[in-house]
Amino acid sequence: MSATPDDVLPGDTKTAAQTSTKAAQAEAEYGHLVKSEYEHGFVTAIESDTLPPGLDESVIAIISQRKGEPQWMLDWRLAAYRKWLDMPTPEWAAVHYPPIDYQTISYFSAPKKKELKSLDEVDPVLLETYEKLGIPIEEQKALAGVAVDAVFDSVSVATTFRDKLAEAGVIFCSISEAVQEYPELVRKYLGSVVPPTDNFYTGLNSAVFTDGTFVYVPKHTRCPMELSTYFRINEAKTGQFERTLIVADEGSYVSYLEGCTAPQRDENQLHAAVVELIALDNAEIKYSTVQNWYPGDEEGRGGIYNFVTKRGDCRGDNSKISWTQVETGSAITWKYPSCILRGDNSVGEFYSVAVTKGRQQADTGTKMIHLGKNTRSTIVSKGISAQHGIQSYRGLVRIAGKAEGARNHTQCDSLLIGDKCAANTFPYIEVKNPTAKMEHEATTSKISDDQLFYCRSRGLTEEDAVSMIVNGFCKEVFNELPMEFAVEAQKLLSISLEGAVG
Amino acid sequence: MLSIQGLKAEVDEKEILKGLDLTVGAGEVHAIMGPNGSGKSTLAHVLSGREGYAVTGGSVTFDDRDLLALEPEERACLGLFLAFQYPVELPGVNNTYFLKAALNAKRKYHGEDELDAVSFLRLMKEKLKVLHLDDSLLKRPVNVGFSGGEKKRNEIFQMALLEPKLAILDETDSGLDIDALRVVANGVNALRSPERSMLVVTHYQRLLDYIEPDYVHVLAKGRIIRSGGKELARELEDKGYGWIVDEAAA
Ligand SMILES: Nc1ncnc2c1ncn2[C@@H]1O[C@H](COP(=O)(O)OP(=O)(O)OP(=O)(O)O)[C@@H](O)[C@H]1O
Ligand SMILES: [Mg+2]
């Protein structure tokens, strides 16, 4: 059975069941509440080594050379680049932005100091940045059992807990390092879930990716700690093109968290990452994202374009891949973490909270491709829109002809705050096996005046009331996050909706 | 404690309260009775600051403050509590978490330290003894899927925790079975104190058998048309409202 993971979602929205709702509440009543300032909007003053803007084969060769890559890697990049040149930009998503000129972007930026053996060698300015972000990189946080691979612009600068992981046989390093140290693994799996030709942005990423994370968990190994990477775009006008590759070998388990923030700038920045997950027989991967890129200002100036392709392949029988995401940032988000349920009895899950406010736009959702027998998938999507935020859930559930006994449960809830925001739901369902069991529920609601008044009559401010009700709305998703990050996510949600509501 | 003078309020340009006067002293329990639609819940909502009601005349002072100038949460923090006739569901919001947040909001307002989880749970256990409430309700989302009676009990439990100065109970008895009525009434009685006043809105003498009011008022057509002692409630039970309403109109 050949899987065709390279399909993007169908663009013809007319074929989809579509519900578009606008709240009838006066935004004026609550608008003043939504105006929280972006907290992570500072720029780190640090010398960096940045390529001039522009993209051609020589730029790719320079990137590859700077990273000391073997020839096969450069060839792979160039092949991707040549195909990319002929690819059209996707236009089917319900988001709007001026065309991006890919020649004005710089494709490589690295802090100048390199080759770090311990945290002491890390530029203190960098560490301070991480501290401001609340990244658990110092000893004390590390004791909490979090291993961190911090990506600052394009190069990994600090990796902790490598030893303990090495003891368990877990490989956790930057993708550039993996290319050098574990070329067989990288060659075997890179691009095997998301081929370079998958879509426009994966083509671009494959040509120019500069860093990212590689994880390999050996057979029958439970990764002894949560793995975590924090991404941060610092350099103005650099695109960030991470590449993450996680392989869970037979009977292994790993939980991985990525958190993202970016400084405040007036121009838009592009973030086009690719994440590939591979779970072999009886393996489980849990991938959690807390994304808080700079969303732009109230008029929609600046902010990150977050065009990311994330896909997991349940390649083995009884394997499981679970995506949990909390997305509060970015000017535009375009992402569909997906699962290919290839192994028999494999399980895919997608739990998502997405917030759009100000002029933010998000087109997000998931794809569950059922290929194996008795495969199961669960989709829980919670969308929150405030002010002029526009949000679309776009989800595809496909049951292939040989996927006997497949089951899907989809629950898609939208919460609207004010009357200028919008939520759309585009569920696509393709069933080619009559034994499939599909359930789909969708709701759209507003925070009612009754609920707000009830909370306020108990002494809670309107802001706290909103935050409490919104957090309640997202409960099922937060429950899926690792404990310490669930708390973080709740705080993030409260901050980003500070004062939002109704 | 509470002084209402000539209070007029409207909803959607329809006048509901038409010059209402009422004074409640510290420690007093006042029962408010009256026909359906006479404005009892409206009064409760206006006092607790619900949006959507336009106050067009009169004044309300609470502990020498202009109550109507305060936000609902300030009123709550200053000691006003409304037990809702129809308690509201908050999906996904854990009941215990909600109670803790409410209590801490009040403490914070008064410059007190917030209670940590352990002290809060201890306090909650204490209050549970007085008001038998099924433990499991505390672990569920606020009011979601609670039976009518459970919702009412939950309201009184909140009141016990928040220890208000003035509690307004809007038809807390309706929907309660006979045993629950006794339990709730006992809970309310346990909270009676020389500093705590209560406005008890009810349709039935039955509740007032348990919670003995100091005064009984009849609210009709937006005004208090008769006030008396607890015997007035009994008279109403026998004769209904018609005769008073007629007398008032005459
Ligand atoms: N939002 C509203 N819009 C229009 N009319 C309203 C609104 N709220 C209340 N009213 C009207 O105001 C009047 C008083 O209502 P209120 O709920 O205060 O009565 P009540 O005395 O509590 O009645 P009950 O004994 O049935 O609880 C009713 O006629 C009701 O229909
Ligand atoms: Mg009423």
Side-chain angles (χ1 to χ4, degrees):
Chain A
M1 154 108 12
S2 87
T4 49
D6 50 324
D7 55 321
V8 282
L9 287 167
D12 183 5
T13 57
K14 280 184 225 112
T15 62
Q18 174 176 356
T19 52
S20 179
T21 328
K22 293 208 170 192
Q25 273 282 338
E27 203 244 4
E29 276 182 62
Y30 309 113
H32 67 285
L33 291 173
V34 201
K35 287 176 187 148
S36 71
E37 302 270 311
Y38 187 70
E39 281 209 331
H40 296 138
F42 50 87
V43 175
T44 305
I46 197 170
E47 257 195 289
S48 68
D49 172 16
T50 302
L51 275 185
L55 181 58
D56 57 24
E57 297 203 358
S58 72
V59 168
I60 293 168
I62 293 171
I63 292 171
S64 186
Q65 184 212 343
R66 292 269 171 97
K67 300 186 140 313
E69 287 177 354
Q71 187 64 36
W72 63 264
M73 193 69 253
L74 175 61
D75 293 344
W76 198 82
R77 288 176 181 276
L78 289 173
Y81 174 72
R82 286 168 197 149
K83 293 218 172 92
W84 174 73
L85 286 174
D86 295 329
M87 292 172 81
T89 25
E91 268 158 12
W92 45 265
V95 295
H96 305 279
Y97 55 95
I100 300 170
D101 182 349
Y102 293 92
Q103 296 304 334
T104 62
I105 297 172
S106 163
Y107 288 87
F108 187 77
S109 168
K112 274 203 173 133
K113 206 175 163 204
K114 284 211 208 150
E115 295 285 310
L116 308 163
K117 296 250 154 46
S118 82
L119 278 184
D120 306 339
E121 293 176 45
V122 175
D123 189 319
V125 182
L126 259 189
L127 287 181
E128 211 176 288
T129 304
Y130 290 138
E131 228 160 81
K132 273 192 227 170
L133 291 169
I135 293 177
I137 201 169
E138 344 77 272
E139 194 62 16
Q140 149 208 18
K141 297 265 175 78
L143 282 173
V146 182
V148 179
D149 179 25
V151 174
F152 191 89
D153 286 345
S154 309
V155 173
S156 269
V157 291
T159 304
T160 52
F161 268 69
R162 296 273 293 273
D163 294 348
K164 191 166 175 200
L165 290 171
E167 211 172 284
V170 175
I171 301 169
F172 178 44
C173 63
S174 71
I175 193 99
S176 331
E177 199 179 336
V179 168
Q180 310 277 359
E181 307 282 328
Y182 312 100
E184 5 24 83
L185 284 173
V186 175
R187 284 187 89 160
K188 181 166 178 193
Y189 292 108
L190 189 71
S192 73
V193 188
V194 181
T197 49
D198 189 83
N199 65 66
F200 184 81
Y201 300 108
T202 60
L204 181 60
N205 175 290
S206 301
V208 304
F209 75 89
T210 42
D211 221 324
T213 302
F214 176 73
V215 177
Y216 172 80
V217 189
K219 285 182 186 170
H220 311 297
T221 302
R222 197 180 165 86
C223 184
M225 65 192 71
E226 306 271 352
L227 302 181
S228 154
T229 300
Y230 279 78
F231 292 117
R232 173 169 165 76
I233 301 175
N234 187 62
E235 202 67 28
K237 291 209 169 87
T238 51
Q240 192 153 355
F241 304 94
E242 292 93 18
R243 190 90 201 183
T244 298
L245 177 60
I246 299 179
V247 181
D249 212 327
E250 291 172 19
S252 69
Y253 169 85
V254 63
S255 165
Y256 182 88
L257 182 119
E258 62 170 352
C260 322
T261 54
Q264 202 158 335
R265 293 194 185 272
D266 286 340
E267 63 270 45
N268 297 98
Q269 272 178 283
L270 176 65
H271 182 244
V274 172
V275 176
E276 297 178 275
L277 312 182
I278 295 131
L280 301 183
D281 286 353
N282 304 304
E284 178 176 351
I285 301 175
K286 191 172 166 60
Y287 192 103
S288 315
T289 304
V290 176
Q291 185 266 118
N292 186 29
W293 300 117
Y294 178 54
D297 67 12
E298 277 169 50
E299 271 73 54
R301 278 185 303 259
I304 300 291
Y305 291 169
N306 189 26
F307 302 155
V308 171
T309 302
K310 293 182 165 177
R311 193 172 302 149
D313 189 353
C314 284
R315 209 163 277 183
D317 292 346
N318 311 310
S319 58
K320 177 174 175 184
I321 288 179
S322 177
W323 298 100
T324 306
Q325 58 173 21
V326 177
E327 305 271 331
T328 64
S330 294
I332 301 179
T333 297
W334 181 95
K335 100 180 229 207
Y336 316 90
S338 306
C339 297
I340 300 162
L341 304 172
R342 196 185 309 269
D344 290 345
N345 311 311
S346 61
V347 176
E349 295 177 338
F350 174 74
Y351 296 95
S352 169
V353 166
V355 180
T356 45
K357 63 165 190 173
R359 303 276 169 177
Q360 278 177 287
Q361 309 174 48
D363 195 301
T364 183
T366 186
K367 292 184 280 181
M368 293 291 174
I369 313 294
H370 292 252
L371 303 176
K373 294 192 180 64
N374 300 315
T375 44
R376 277 175 293 141
S377 61
T378 302
I379 298 171
V380 178
S381 163
K382 305 275 181 175
I384 299 152
S385 294
Q387 293 172 331
H388 295 270
I390 301 175
Q391 191 165 136
S392 303
Y393 166 82
R394 194 181 297 274
L396 168 69
V397 180
R398 176 181 300 157
I399 313 283
K402 288 183 182 164
E404 287 291 318
R407 275 184 286 159
N408 165 265
H409 177 81
T410 298
Q411 188 187 326
C412 206
D413 301 321
S414 307
L415 188 67
L416 302 176
I417 299 172
D419 67 347
K420 295 197 181 68
C421 56
N424 308 298
T425 306
F426 305 107
Y428 305 86
I429 298 171
E430 300 172 17
V431 180
K432 299 221 170 72
N433 185 303
T435 62
K437 286 207 180 84
M438 315 285 286
E439 293 166 358
H440 183 94
E441 290 170 32
T443 66
T444 299
S445 55
K446 292 183 297 167
I447 295 182
S448 73
D449 292 345
D450 283 340
Q451 289 175 323
L452 275 184
F453 175 61
Y454 189 70
C455 294
R456 295 179 77 190
S457 78
R458 297 302 182 250
L460 302 172
T461 61
E462 189 167 20
E463 253 173 39
D464 288 346
V466 166
S467 152
M468 188 177 264
I469 293 166
V470 171
N471 272 302
F473 173 75
C474 302
K475 187 68 156 261
E476 283 163 278
V477 175
F478 289 163
N479 283 346
E480 296 298 320
L481 286 172
M483 251 309 248
E484 58 272 42
F485 299 120
V487 175
E488 200 170 305
Q490 282 193 21
K491 274 194 216 138
L492 188 60
L493 196 63
S494 303
I495 292 169
S496 76
L497 282 175
E498 213 137 77
V501 173
Chain B
M1 159 133 332
L2 179 75
S3 166
I4 305 174
Q5 269 158 8
L7 183 62
K8 292 185 181 178
E10 49 185 54
V11 181
D12 289 343
E13 295 175 7
K14 179 182 162 204
E15 189 166 70
I16 312 282
L17 301 182
K18 303 175 179 170
L20 186 143
D21 300 299
L22 181 67
T23 304
V24 178
E28 293 173 0
V29 173
H30 291 238
I32 296 189
M33 306 182 80
N36 293 131
S38 57
K40 302 181 296 296
S41 294
T42 301
L43 173 64
H45 286 144
V46 169
L47 291 179
S48 42
R50 188 176 180 143
E51 278 166 34
Y53 296 88
V55 175
T56 51
S59 67
V60 181
T61 53
F62 177 57
D63 271 352
D64 301 326
R65 282 184 186 242
D66 176 4
L67 187 71
L68 300 175
L70 303 172
E71 294 294 325
E73 57 269 31
E74 290 179 282
R75 302 181 196 198
C77 291
L78 288 169
L80 189 75
F81 181 89
L82 169 62
F84 282 57
Q85 181 174 3
Y86 304 109
V88 180
E89 303 189 355
L90 302 176
V93 179
N94 176 276
N95 206 11
T96 302
Y97 176 75
F98 180 72
L99 289 166
K100 180 162 167 264
L103 184 66
N104 279 334
K106 191 170 179 181
R107 292 179 67 98
K108 202 166 140 199
Y109 184 86
H110 293 287
E112 295 162 6
D113 284 344
E114 296 186 18
L115 285 188
D116 59 27
V118 176
S119 341
F120 178 75
L121 286 179
R122 196 177 302 135
L123 179 68
M124 209 166 68
K125 279 226 172 79
E126 218 172 274
K127 301 288 180 189
L128 271 176
K129 276 185 218 147
V130 190
L131 205 100
H132 309 282
L133 188 71
D134 192 342
D135 262 11
S136 67
L137 293 183
L138 295 169
K139 294 176 190 135
R140 284 168 44 185
V142 180
N143 292 323
V144 177
F146 287 20
S147 76
E150 286 168 343
K151 284 183 182 170
K152 297 301 178 76
R153 279 197 203 204
N154 195 42
E155 293 290 289
I156 300 305
F157 185 64
Q158 290 181 8
M159 165 172 143
L161 265 173
L162 295 172
E163 304 184 322
K165 277 190 194 153
L166 173 67
I168 305 169
L169 311 185
D170 193 358
E171 297 198 22
T172 298
D173 52 337
S174 52
L176 291 180
D177 66 40
I178 300 161
D179 294 330
L181 181 70
R182 197 179 305 119
V183 172
V184 165
N186 286 343
V188 172
N189 282 330
L191 291 168
R192 280 180 87 151
S193 90
E195 294 86 46
R196 184 167 298 131
S197 316
M198 297 191 192
L199 264 185
V200 180
V201 175
T202 182
H203 286 293
Y204 305 107
Q205 171 59 36
R206 206 180 45 180
L207 179 71
L208 303 180
D209 287 339
Y210 293 109
I211 306 173
E212 279 199 25
D214 301 302
Y215 301 93
V216 174
H217 310 276
V218 177
L219 174 54
K221 295 183 181 157
R223 290 220 294 268
I224 303 284
I225 54 165
R226 168 126 358 166
S227 299
K230 57 182 184 243
E231 65 292 339
L232 175 57
R234 234 160 259 136
E235 208 174 344
L236 293 170
E237 183 98 335
D238 291 343
K239 303 203 272 186
Y241 295 114
W243 61 284
I244 309 183
V245 175
D246 291 347
E247 268 179 37

